[in-house]
Structures are given as structure tokens and as C-alpha cells.
Amino acid sequence: MGGAFLAAAVLARLGGRIGLPTIPLFILAGILLGPHTPGVVLLDDPHDLEMLSALGLVLLLFYLGLEFHLDDLKTGGRKMALAGGAYLALNVGAGLGFGFALGWGTSEALVLAGVLGISSSAIVTKVLVDLGRIGNPETRPILGIIVVEDVFLALYLAALQPILSGADSLGAAVLDGGKAFGFLLLLALLARFGTKVIGKLFDTKDDELLVISFLGAAVFVAGVSEWFGVADAIGAFMVGLMLGSTSSGDRILKLVHPLRDAFGAIFFFAFGLSINPGDLPSVVWPVLAAVAVTVAMNVFAGMVSARIYSFGPQATANISTTLLARGEFALILATMAAAAGLDERLSPFIAGYVLLLAVLSPLAAGRSHWLARILPGGRTRDREADKEAVPV
């Protein structure tokens, strides 16, 4: 564990000197020091970091919930649903079409629909924090789309599980989906109506007690969420949503920051450990094609979302590039596909696809102004800015 932290820190510092984002460097550290690469091997079994990695994801989504205030849901719920629905329809639909075009099978196509269609909440959160865009106007729609995706994620996993396991019981699938949706609804009601009571429970001037309390709540609810068939990180997000609206919200946001950074690094490092570079050449062309489809659909979906919110070219570019990353959900699907005995090409495909977008997304988000220039209205804005810069 100590080696993982140090390796991630060293590579991140070296990359920072030349302007590279930290996320792909954390992943690269995991690849270089994992069991699939010659040289020093920190861990023979990537599962040794499984709990710490899960904690990193929980804290990343908990932090995201703290930043996403309930007032944003109350005032922009309709627009959020429209933007999130449009994003899902375009990206999941394109992923399903791509899966059938590959010809690997129907179950494989359904897996690929989820892999290509759902953004990485962890990477998106990290990109927003690293680029200092948490307070930007377009960040709220981005977080709103992630919320819609997370709700869809829970229902999609519940529906996909019986298909991959070969179950033909529609009743069992409906029961699993209903259980997951019911638990999400309960958490949403608590976030909406239980804020005052929750605020009193967490009201303490002692930072030590506050850290123990919010960390325990986030991890506990994450575990219960998993038992109900909801992704653990979504439960943590809902806890963050509740606590962010309490009187202790600002203090919690400050106190969780170093925990989020430390264990978030372990999450990305552990992802790198699971990647076998030797498997990637066999799927390089499908991976490149999938990345091209994802980039195109994200730009289109970003334009649709920006139209809903009446944003300009720069905000459109920020939405398109920030939501580009794919990550933890794709890895969950890869694990499910392997357990179900699906096409063995799926695992290296998903690993290569996620790794490439994990590198591309932070780089693209940091240079989104390049995309803004070629979007409709982008050059007009540039010319106006040039005129304003000319001294009179």
C-alpha cells in the first residue's frame, strides 16, 4: 500500500512538470508495478487493494454529493432529466449499435451498450476538481447528467444480471429492479425531507467526531446500497447530498478533501493493476473505433445539453470533454461478463477502451477551448473577443 501511494505520487509529480493530468499517471503506475508487467511487482493479486479501491470510489462520489446541492435539483430537475436522458439515449444507443456491429453476440452487445454509454463518475469528479471548474455554470448540468446516469446504472445492472446469468425469470428481474429503485427512492426522500434531523445528528464542533461520523455514514450506506442491488458509490453520493445541505456541510467538504485525494489515487492505481498490456494488441482496432464513436456522440450530446441550458460554445465544449471518460462502471461490467463466460475479447477490449479514454478525457477537458473554436458560434465569439481586446 505504501509503495502504491509513493509510486502514484512520484509519477504524478513528474507528469505535473510537463502538464499531464494525474489520473492516467496513477493508472500507469498500477500497470508498471502490477503482475502483468516485467520488473518490480508490488502486488501479485490486484484484489489485495479491492477494499481500499472501493473506499476511494465511495469517497469520490461522497464528495460529488456534497458539491451537488439539493437546491440544484429543485430548480433544475426538468432540465437535468432532459439533458441526462438525451445523453443516455445517444451514448447507450450508439454503444448498443456498435456492439451489434462487432458481431460478438447479443449479451456482449448489451454489455458494450453500458460500457460505451456511461461516464466515469470518479474521473469526471477528479477532472472538475483538478481544473477548478466546480463553480462553473456548466458543472451543474454535468453533475446532473451523472446523477441521471447513476440512477440508470442501478436499474441497468439489475436488468442485465439475470440476462448474463442465463436466468429467464422476468419476475426475478423486475423484483431486483424494483428493490434497487425503492432503495434509491428512500434515499432521495431522506435527502429531500430529512435534512434538518440529519443535520442535528451530525452537529458537533469536534472535527475528529465529525470525520468519524460522516465517514461511517458514507461507507455504511454504500454497503447497504450494494446489498439492495444499487452501486455502492451511488449510496455514498446520496449521503453526500444529504450532508451537503446541513450546517456542517462546508466543514465536511474541507475535512473529506485529503481523504478523497489519497484513496482516490488508490482507486485509479488498482485499476491499473488489473490491466494486462499483452492483451491489448488483439483488440486495438475495435478499441480505436469505439473511442471515435464515443468522442463523436459526446460532442453531439454536449451540444444537445448546452442547447437545453442555453450555453455557449465554451460551456458546450466543457460538457462534451468532461463527460468523455469511462471507468468504474465499465470495469464492473467486465467482471460480470467474465463471470458469465461471455466472449473473452470483452475484458481486454474494455481495459484498452477505458485506459485510452482515461488518458484522453483529462487532456481534452484541459484543452476544451480548442473544441469550442470549431463548434457553431465559436469563431464568432473569438472575433468578438479580439475586437474587445483592441485598444481604442
Side-chain angles (χ1 to χ4, degrees):
M1 178 180 166
F5 276 123
L6 289 174
V10 169
L11 272 181
R13 291 191 68 165
L14 291 175
R17 293 179 181 274
I18 56 175
L20 289 178
T22 58
I23 295 168
L25 294 169
F26 292 155
I27 296 172
L28 180 61
I31 294 174
L32 294 177
L33 298 173
H36 307 296
T37 307
V40 178
V41 177
L42 278 182
L43 289 163
D44 291 319
D45 186 0
H47 292 292
D48 289 344
L49 283 181
E50 189 171 11
M51 182 58 71
L52 293 174
S53 173
L55 182 58
L57 181 58
V58 162
L59 288 172
L60 281 167
L61 270 292
F62 175 71
Y63 183 86
L64 184 66
L66 289 170
E67 289 284 3
F68 196 91
H69 298 294
L70 281 172
D71 290 340
D72 299 333
L73 288 173
K74 295 174 188 175
T75 57
R78 182 173 175 273
K79 288 184 177 180
M80 182 184 75
L82 284 173
Y87 188 90
L88 282 172
L90 290 168
N91 284 275
V92 174
L96 184 63
F98 180 83
F100 280 121
L102 281 180
W104 291 355
T106 301
S107 294
E108 287 80 359
L110 290 171
V111 169
L112 289 172
V115 170
L116 270 67
I118 306 294
S119 304
S120 166
S121 300
I123 297 179
V124 168
T125 306
K126 191 72 166 60
V127 167
L128 290 172
V129 172
D130 286 352
L131 296 178
R133 291 181 182 170
I134 290 293
N136 285 17
E138 73 276 2
T139 296
R140 291 181 181 179
I142 290 172
L143 299 182
I145 290 171
I146 288 178
V147 171
V148 174
E149 284 186 324
D150 286 345
V151 173
F152 173 81
L153 180 156
L155 300 176
Y156 191 75
L157 281 178
L160 192 61
Q161 183 61 53
I163 296 174
L164 295 185
S165 61
D168 53 3
S169 172
L170 179 62
V174 171
L175 180 62
D176 289 342
K179 186 171 69 171
F181 182 77
F183 184 69
L184 280 173
L185 183 61
L186 175 62
L187 291 179
L189 290 174
L190 280 174
R192 175 66 179 87
F193 300 107
T195 305
K196 289 184 179 180
V197 175
I198 293 169
K200 290 180 180 178
L201 292 174
F202 283 83
D203 187 18
T204 174
K205 294 180 179 179
D206 190 319
D207 284 350
E208 180 184 12
L209 290 178
L210 185 57
V211 169
I212 295 170
S213 299
F214 74 68
L215 189 59
V219 176
F220 180 77
V221 174
V224 174
S225 298
E226 201 169 47
W227 188 80
F228 275 96
V230 177
D232 51 5
I234 300 176
F237 173 86
M238 296 302 293
V239 174
L241 192 65
M242 297 176 205
L243 296 182
S245 300
T246 66
S247 58
S248 303
D250 290 339
R251 285 175 60 211
I252 293 173
L253 194 67
K254 182 179 178 181
L255 290 169
V256 77
H257 203 282
L259 293 171
R260 180 211 68 192
D261 286 345
F263 289 99
I266 291 295
F267 169 78
F268 295 112
F269 181 88
F271 170 46
L273 290 175
S274 67
I275 295 176
N276 185 352
D279 293 336
L280 301 180
S282 63
V283 292
V284 63
W285 293 114
V287 165
L288 292 176
V291 168
V293 169
T294 303
V295 170
M297 296 313 298
N298 266 261
V299 172
F300 188 35
M303 292 171 67
V304 172
S305 301
R307 182 74 178 269
I308 292 171
Y309 283 89
S310 302
F311 286 147
Q314 184 58 60
T316 304
N318 288 347
I319 294 172
S320 300
T321 53
T322 303
L323 289 169
L324 189 59
R326 302 293 186 265
E328 60 277 3
F329 181 51
L331 300 182
I332 293 170
L333 285 172
T335 304
M336 291 173 61
L342 300 186
D343 195 304
E344 61 184 15
R345 291 171 291 184
L346 270 178
S347 291
F349 168 87
I350 292 172
Y353 172 76
V354 171
L355 178 60
L356 192 52
L357 283 180
V359 174
L360 180 61
S361 176
L363 292 174
R367 294 158 180 79
S368 59
H369 56 280
W370 293 354
L371 174 61
R373 291 173 185 169
I374 62 174
L375 290 174
R379 293 194 176 278
T380 303
R381 293 287 182 92
D382 284 346
R383 285 196 295 269
E384 290 176 355
D386 290 341
K387 289 180 182 178
E388 291 175 0
V390 175
V392 179

